[in-house]
Every structure is written in C-alpha cells, then in structure tokens.
Amino acid sequence: MRTLRALHFQKHLFNLPPKIPFSSLRFTILCNSRQFRSTLRQQIPKESTAFTDAAVQGWAAPSTSQQNPTNENTPQRESKPNEISENYSNGIKSRVYEVIGNGTKKKGKGGKSSKTVWVCSDCGYDDGQWWGICKQCNGVNTMKRFSEGIERPMSGFEVTESVTRSWMPHQSVKAMPTKLTDVNKGINQLNWRIPLSGLFGAEVGRVLGGGLVPGCLVLVGGDPGVGKSTLLLQIAAIIAEGCDMGGPAPVLYVSGEESVEQIGNRADRMRIGTDELFLYASTDIEDILEKTQTLSLRALIIDSIQTVYLRGVTGSAGGLSQVKECTEALLRFAKKTNIPVFLIGHVTKSGEIAGPRVLEHIVDVVLYMEGEKYSSHRLLRSVKNRFGSTDELGVFEMSQSGLQAVSNPSEMFLSEQQSDSEFLAGLAVTVIMDGSRAFLIEIQALCVAGSSVSRQVNGVQAGRAEMIISVLIKQAGLKLQENGIFLNVVSGVSLSETAGDLAVAAAICSSFLEFPLPVGIAFIGEIGLGGEIRTVPRMDKRINTVAKLGYKKCIIPKSAETSMAALDLGDTEIVACRNLKEMINIVFRKR
C-alpha cells in the first residue's frame, strides 16, 4: 500500500501544469523508499528549490504555513541557502534540504556540519549511532553523545603551542631546509649526549646507545612491580647531580599514581637526597608543562603516560585518543626545548604497552624491563632506538637500596655448586649472545630408565630438543629410546639460538652415561642432522668471555679452530671437534 501511494503521488507530481514554475515549488516527501528519493532527485531540474527527506509513512503533510499560522507583526527569519528547516506533521519531524548543483544535500548553518556522533569515553571510538557497548573496547554504556562540528577537540600539538607560546623563544626568521653538512657544524659528538655516571649509569647509558640524547622521548615499559619507577627515579637522581655534566641542574619527576610524600619516602629508602630533584603530583598535561616554565630543566619524567590527560581531548585518561595526544604534546615539548622526556608505560596481559600502537612509533626510544617473579635480577632491553643499537642489554639486581648494576651477568645463570666434588653429572655450560653481551648459562639433563614421561623440556625449544635426541640415537649410537629425558635451563632463561646445541647433547650424554663433566669446561656449537658440529656467529666474543671467567677448556667446531688461533686466551684450552662421536670420545674418555 505504501508503494502504491508513493507511485500515485509521483504520477501527480510530474503532471503539474506548466504554468507553475518548478523553482518555486517546495515538497514534503514522507516516504521510506530510498530508491524513490533517488529517482525524484534525478528528475528534479537543477533550478529546483527544496524537498523534504523524512522516514515516515502516510500522505504528504500540510505545509508549514497551514500548521503554524503567524501574525503579521511576528518577526520572520530570513531564509538562507544550505539551511535546515524542520516541519512537524502528526508529531513526526521531517527535515527540508535544499537541492543545489548536482543534488547533494548539505546540513547545518553556514556550511558547518551539525551531525550527531556517539563517542566512547574510554577509548575515543566514534560511531554514527548509539550502541549498548563500544565496538572497539567492549565498554558497556560508554558511548556519549556529541554534536560534530560545534567544537573541535584540541590536539596535543595545539595544546603544547598554546602553553609554550608565551615563554618559548620565537624565531624571527622563517625556518628553511638545512644542508646535511651544516647540521653538525660546531657540535662535538663526544659531548653531545648527556652522560650517566657510575656503574648504574654506565649500564643504562649502554642500553640507550652511549648516553642520553638531548630532546629525546624515551618510553619505558614493563610488568607491574618490576621496578620501572625505581629505575627512573635513580636515573633522575643521576641526571640532577650532574657529576659528568658540569654541575647539578633541576630534574622534574611527575607522578600521576603516587603522592609527593610517597615518592619522597621511596627516595629516602634508596638514599637519594639531591637538592635539584623536584617532585610533583599531577595528571594534567597543560598544568605539568606550565610548571616547567619556572625551572630550567635538564630532564622531565612522567609516571605514567596512562594517567595523564588533555582537557580538550575526548575520552578518559588512559584511552587511545588521550594517550596519543598526550604523547604528541610531550614530543613537541621535548623537540622544541631540547629537554629529554622519560615516560613510563603500563603493559597489557600479553606484555605489550597499553594504548595505541602508534605510541611506540611516536617516541624515539622504547625500553622494556623484564624480570622473573621470584628472582631479584632485572633485564633492561632496548626494543626501539633511533640513536643507537637495539642489541644492547642491561643487567641489574634489585636490592633494598634500589637497582644495582651486575658486573658479571653470567653468575645469575650458573647454579651454585652444592657438591664437594669438582664433577657433576648432567650439567653443561654454553655461551649465548644477547646484543653485544655474552652470557654463560647452564643446561641440566636427566635421563631416567623406564620413566612414564618420555620428554619434558624447560627453557629449550621442544622441536630442537627432539632433533638433538634423535641425532644422538642415530649418529652417536646412544640407546635413549627407553629413557625419560628431562631438560632444564637454569634461572628460567629461554635458549633460542643454536649455539647451545652442543651443550644440550653433552648434558644428555653425561646423564645417560653417568659420567660427570668437569666444572671448568664449556661447549659452543650447532648440531646438524648428520651429527656434524657447525660454527655459530661471533665465536671470538663467546670464547673470550669463557677465557675471562677462568674456564680451563672449551669445545668448539673444527671449522672455527683456525680463526681462534690469533686470540689471547691465557690458560684456556681450545678443543675442536668435527662431529658428536669425536666430541664424546674426547670428553667422556676415562682419565
């Protein structure tokens, strides 16, 4: 019935007498058919005036003048182009759009959009209609109504400009492209970075690429309780003291999670008492940047980026839009003032930094702090670094007075010798590389005859362990089929590179043959399917580490023997083997 009415109305509409000018005709089309409105829009000439777009049913509504009679003395509003007029027919509102040019519809006053959007208060996701939950963050009842085009939210760059406009030095000359050869003129690259003094500072500086770059934005992530705030509080104290920087200078530590008294209590426990370290508790970025005007800062630290917010940005603190805009504001501040800024970032259950992925793209350096739950050791790893290598690793130990640098990282991966004997069965030591540092780790193996569990590995890739066991059975002739084999890497380290293959095979042979290995022996090499021992990258670095730690013997591949002849290894003996059989005959022979 609705379609018949529409066709009847369309028939009479286009049979109008020609004496009625089409340009002075206004319609109120009350129809749900999108196809009908599209057909009508195509058939109306360009000089036509207006029609009403509404989703209602029934006959055409009476004109506005009939429904709302007005007095002659009543002020009449002048009709303007591209303007919405609203008609009410039987309690149903319809909008009138003016058709211009090719028939496109424009809404709002003065060409401004008055579209209503629904924005999630948690993550900033927007949609054209209301939903019970946010489609992006699944938040319940978080969609808030906003009128698009009335007031545009302020971005992080604009906030920084408005805050710093009054006190930042103005450039009288417009910035122009600069030659690459002219950029570094007058800059001493040796003194360009901010040095960090002490053993702790040297460990952090190596991860940063040789020191702190002025104007950089550094993001530090890690699990809750791993020591991110402790790390940055110690860095702040070192920068404020300025032992290698020509004297002390102010450093501002801003916390959105702790009060000033709580931070002071932690600093007192860590025996930090520098006068140039300023503490401030705030979550408003504009307020924080305004406070920096009174101090000639050497560094700024924000703890954390998920707790701060910008007043002109939609969403609550920690939301996607808030995190992005706050980071952009702090990036702008760092680049314009040449003051390094540190940010602490929370992580999700999967171990990634909370917030948008673009957060890691905005910052200059991304550091991750790692640590086992029941271990006091902490690892500081560089994931992104625009000013240095991402292969560096810092090793620290958490103590009552804070983080302490570990001078010999290999001691955390080697088990204590509980036996009075110099020989222990099923234990083998290998050397792994993490960045530019070499670590000695201990691999344990246990072979049990008649065990109900055939394989159990911890810290070694299961597929790699199965391959090594199969090669020992096939190429070395060991009868391991009826034995349950258990493998473990001390201190929970994951053995991801192939340099530990030879140590895994040696530990299994030691446990199966019940032949203890000497304490001062290390194994470096990769095992192939034919039982051959292959070389691995950076053999010289690995063997030098073994020699410095006082090991007496090191088993390496035969192909790497000639390249090691020029090394000064002291009393360390290098034994080269071609395959597993040769290694077993040399290491496990009776003395």
Side-chain angles (χ1 to χ4, degrees):
M1 179 61 68
R2 187 180 306 168
T3 306
L4 291 176
R5 290 176 179 174
L7 294 175
H8 176 76
F9 178 72
Q10 184 181 13
K11 176 180 178 182
H12 288 278
L13 175 65
F14 293 105
N15 291 330
L16 292 172
K19 63 180 181 180
I20 300 178
F22 220 96
S23 60
S24 62
L25 190 61
R26 296 175 66 89
F27 301 98
T28 304
I29 300 172
L30 306 176
C31 177
N32 279 331
S33 173
R34 181 179 300 175
Q35 181 180 1
F36 173 72
R37 291 199 302 270
S38 177
T39 305
L40 177 60
R41 192 179 297 115
Q42 295 174 3
Q43 296 182 9
I44 294 180
K46 295 182 178 179
E47 61 271 12
S48 63
T49 170
F51 65 94
T52 301
D53 183 15
V56 295
Q57 61 182 3
W59 296 99
S63 63
T64 309
S65 60
Q66 295 178 0
Q67 294 185 25
N68 301 316
T70 57
N71 194 331
E72 295 180 357
N73 298 327
T74 304
Q76 299 297 321
R77 186 168 58 90
E78 182 182 359
S79 179
K80 298 181 181 180
N82 304 332
E83 185 173 332
I84 305 173
S85 62
E86 296 180 349
N87 298 332
Y88 292 84
S89 175
N90 299 326
I92 302 174
K93 183 173 73 171
S94 62
R95 282 184 171 180
V96 179
Y97 298 89
E98 183 172 355
V99 181
I100 59 173
N102 58 357
T104 57
K105 299 183 294 183
K106 289 191 176 181
K107 301 190 294 182
K109 296 183 179 180
K112 295 183 179 179
S113 175
S114 59
K115 180 181 177 182
T116 299
V117 295
W118 298 84
V119 182
C120 178
S121 59
D122 288 345
C123 68
Y125 171 78
D126 61 89
D127 204 319
Q129 58 181 334
W130 180 86
W131 297 93
I133 62 173
C134 175
K135 294 181 179 180
Q136 182 160 316
C137 67
N138 296 326
V140 181
N141 291 330
T142 58
M143 304 296 290
K144 307 299 180 184
R145 182 177 180 178
F146 292 91
S147 293
E148 192 177 74
I150 295 179
E151 182 178 355
R152 185 174 60 88
M154 190 176 293
S155 67
F157 281 178
E158 293 172 334
V159 170
T160 310
E161 289 289 343
S162 63
V163 172
T164 61
R165 188 177 293 114
S166 59
W167 60 280
M168 285 293 297
H170 297 278
Q171 295 181 354
S172 58
V173 182
K174 187 177 181 180
M176 297 296 292
T178 307
K179 292 182 180 179
L180 176 62
T181 55
D182 296 338
V183 172
N184 295 328
K185 282 186 178 179
I187 299 177
N188 188 356
Q189 296 295 332
L190 298 177
N191 300 327
W192 180 53
R193 293 176 181 260
I194 301 175
L196 302 177
S197 60
L199 293 176
F200 174 85
E203 194 80 2
V204 176
R206 184 179 63 255
V207 178
L208 291 173
L212 186 61
V213 175
C216 68
L217 185 61
V218 182
L219 177 64
V220 181
D223 294 332
V226 76
K228 301 183 296 295
S229 299
T230 302
L231 173 71
L232 289 189
L233 188 59
Q234 290 184 247
I235 294 176
I238 293 176
I239 298 175
E241 290 173 357
C243 297
D244 299 335
M245 292 172 278
V251 174
L252 180 59
Y253 186 100
V254 182
S255 177
E257 302 174 344
E258 298 176 282
S259 65
V260 174
E261 291 76 13
Q262 291 173 332
I263 304 173
N265 185 24
R266 179 153 47 91
D268 183 65
R269 175 174 54 84
M270 297 166 58
R271 299 174 185 175
I272 296 176
T274 176
D275 293 334
E276 296 298 330
L277 180 57
F278 293 85
L279 306 178
Y280 186 56
S282 177
T283 56
D284 189 351
I285 286 292
E286 297 183 45
D287 177 46
I288 294 171
L289 296 182
E290 287 175 357
K291 293 299 184 294
T292 60
Q293 301 180 26
T294 59
L295 301 171
S296 180
L297 292 182
R298 182 175 284 169
L300 173 64
I301 297 174
I302 306 294
D303 184 9
S304 65
I305 190 61
Q306 279 81 16
T307 60
V308 294
Y309 69 95
L310 282 171
R311 283 175 241 161
V313 179
T314 58
S316 59
L320 299 180
S321 57
Q322 282 285 356
V323 171
K324 177 179 177 293
E325 296 296 340
C326 290
T327 307
E328 287 181 348
L330 293 171
L331 176 68
R332 185 77 169 174
F333 168 80
K335 301 308 178 186
K336 295 193 69 173
T337 60
N338 221 26
I339 296 174
V341 178
F342 286 88
L343 306 177
I344 291 180
H346 298 163
V347 296
T348 59
K349 292 181 179 179
S350 61
E352 298 179 351
I353 295 180
R357 190 67 178 181
V358 72
L359 174 63
E360 299 184 34
H361 294 282
I362 294 174
V363 300
D364 298 315
V365 181
V366 179
L367 304 179
Y368 273 90
M369 199 167 186
E370 306 169 359
E372 294 294 328
K373 184 176 180 181
Y374 300 105
S375 175
S376 61
H377 291 92
R378 302 289 186 267
L379 303 179
L380 185 64
R381 195 183 305 274
S382 175
V383 177
K384 173 189 176 181
N385 193 349
R386 289 175 178 164
F387 315 111
S389 174
T390 57
D391 295 332
E392 297 296 340
L393 181 72
V395 183
F396 305 91
E397 184 177 6
M398 182 67 74
S399 63
Q400 186 67 22
S401 58
L403 292 168
Q404 306 293 331
V406 178
S407 57
N408 180 20
S410 298
E411 65 184 9
M412 61 182 289
F413 303 119
L414 299 176
S415 63
E416 298 179 1
Q417 306 298 329
Q418 303 294 338
S419 174
D420 295 336
S421 173
E422 294 183 357
F423 304 96
L424 293 174
L427 300 181
V429 176
T430 188
V431 185
I432 63 173
M433 297 294 299
D434 200 321
S436 62
R437 307 190 66 171
F439 300 93
L440 269 69
I441 62 172
E442 187 175 278
I443 298 174
Q444 301 174 332
L446 178 64
C447 296
V448 181
S451 175
S452 59
V453 180
S454 59
R455 304 284 188 273
Q456 184 68 41
V457 295
N458 182 25
V460 182
Q461 296 178 2
R464 198 75 191 172
E466 287 288 347
M467 188 209 74
I468 295 173
I469 294 172
S470 300
V471 172
L472 286 173
I473 294 173
K474 177 67 176 178
Q475 305 297 341
L478 298 182
K479 306 298 182 182
L480 301 174
Q481 295 89 339
E482 298 179 357
N483 286 265
I485 300 177
F486 301 85
L487 293 174
N488 178 52
V489 181
V490 175
S491 299
V493 182
S494 295
L495 184 61
S496 57
E497 59 175 321
T498 59
D501 289 356
L502 191 58
V504 173
I508 294 174
C509 293
S510 174
S511 178
F512 177 75
L513 300 174
E514 296 183 357
F515 194 103
L517 290 171
V519 175
I521 187 172
F523 300 84
I524 305 173
E526 177 185 352
I527 296 177
L529 292 178
E532 72 278 9
I533 302 176
R534 300 174 177 269
T535 186
V536 294
R538 309 186 73 173
M539 288 290 299
D540 54 345
K541 181 74 174 180
R542 301 174 194 266
I543 295 176
N544 276 326
T545 303
V546 170
K548 289 180 180 179
L549 294 178
Y551 277 72
K552 301 176 183 178
K553 184 180 295 186
C554 184
I555 309 298
I556 65 171
K558 188 71 175 179
S559 58
E561 184 179 18
T562 56
S563 60
M564 301 298 110
L567 297 179
D568 184 14
L569 303 177
D571 297 333
T572 303
E573 179 186 359
I574 300 298
V575 179
C577 300
R578 291 184 178 87
N579 48 51
L580 282 176
K581 286 185 177 180
E582 188 175 345
M583 184 272 294
I584 293 174
N585 292 332
I586 293 175
V587 176
F588 296 97
R589 63 183 178 185
K590 294 183 179 180
R591 298 170 179 82

